[in-house]
Amino acid sequence: MHILVPEHFHLKDAAISDVANTIFRTPYQINPQTKRTYLLLWKQFSDWTATRGLHFISEVSADVVKAYAFELIQKVNAGEIGSHTAQNKVASINSMMEAVYYAVHDRQWESISAKALGLRPRSDKRLSPPDTLKRNVYESRLEALRSSSRPHEIAVFQISREFGFTCTEASFFDARASWPSVQKWFPAGILCTVAAWDGKKWSRRRHAPVTTSEQYLAVQFAAQAQGKRKQLMDDGKSVNDWREIDLRAATTIMGGFHEMRAAFACERFHAIAGYQAPCAGGIAPDKTEDINHRKLLAKEMGLREYESLINHIG
């Protein structure tokens, strides 16, 4: 995004939280979805700077953005977010800083590279299985969660683990609406599905099959835990606040949503293919069949490319 910000916008005195809205007042045609994305990612950055006592754009230096990138990298290493999410966040800050830095400091912004700071590549191959692939480990962490978290928070992790939903998909999951059909058809041995949605009006829902008793019980628990809410996440909250505030402590205990998805992927791959995922020691007897198994799993998990599974199953 290359935007020249006019001098009369007075960015030198602008608050960090106001910068994005100021930039998008320029007379450039910007895709509405792109604009929304930049505004959201910039708000996350401005909230982060505020916690560190920084409030004006003139205080934002390369070192500040590097510190932000380092924290994102730590979240990636902890399994809290994916590497692509961290890259996108840093890239968006670079784009915004390119637009304002010259107006503020009279010199060009030098982009910060998350990869140069130690971020693992997007296609980083998983070499070992996630801890929560072992049911006893997963159950023990859930038990630890029950003493410190509310039921609908616990349900978000269960849905993510049993269906491979992202944090956003699990948070927007309407278990109460899904439960009647699951309750009716699964015990009868008839295929039923639950819908995954990321909360965006223009997004299509994908449908994940209910194939195990663990999934059945997870939907049952989630439906009870949801109560009168529209979804598992608290009504009126943003996904970012829900994830960063409400689920923060629970995420530390459970090991992150990426690990939940990886555990599901390994378990489901075993059920589809008949042999363990590569990261768990499985060896594909036939490459073509292995690709077909990956394509099916990728579709169930809402991944555009089956190659992305290398992050989940190796």
Side-chain angles (χ1 to χ4, degrees), residues 150 152-153 155-156 167-175 197-199 222 225-244 246-247:
R150 295 175 293 173
H152 62 298
E153 295 171 353
V156 170
C167 175
T168 300
E169 290 171 339
S171 298
F172 277 106
F173 181 57
D174 188 351
W197 184 51
D198 63 6
Q226 183 176 328
K228 296 181 179 180
R229 301 175 187 85
K230 295 178 181 178
Q231 65 278 312
L232 288 177
M233 178 175 65
D234 287 333
D235 293 334
K237 281 196 174 179
S238 70
V239 176
N240 185 61
D241 287 345
W242 167 251
R243 180 178 58 242
E244 298 295 332
D246 296 79
L247 300 182

Side-chain angles (χ1 to χ4, degrees), residues 2-42:
H2 299 287
I3 296 177
L4 181 63
V5 182
E7 291 185 5
H8 67 267
F9 279 23
H10 304 297
L11 279 174
K12 288 185 178 180
D13 304 319
I16 298 173
S17 58
D18 295 334
V19 165
N21 285 316
T22 300
I23 289 176
F24 289 119
R25 283 166 46 204
T26 55
Y28 289 85
Q29 293 297 321
I30 300 172
N31 181 285
Q33 184 173 343
T34 300
K35 179 179 177 179
R36 282 191 291 268
T37 299
Y38 274 102
L39 287 172
L40 173 62
L41 296 180
W42 184 261

Side-chain angles (χ1 to χ4, degrees), residues 275-287:
Y275 52 89
Q276 295 286 354
C279 68
I283 300 176
D286 182 83
K287 186 174 182 180

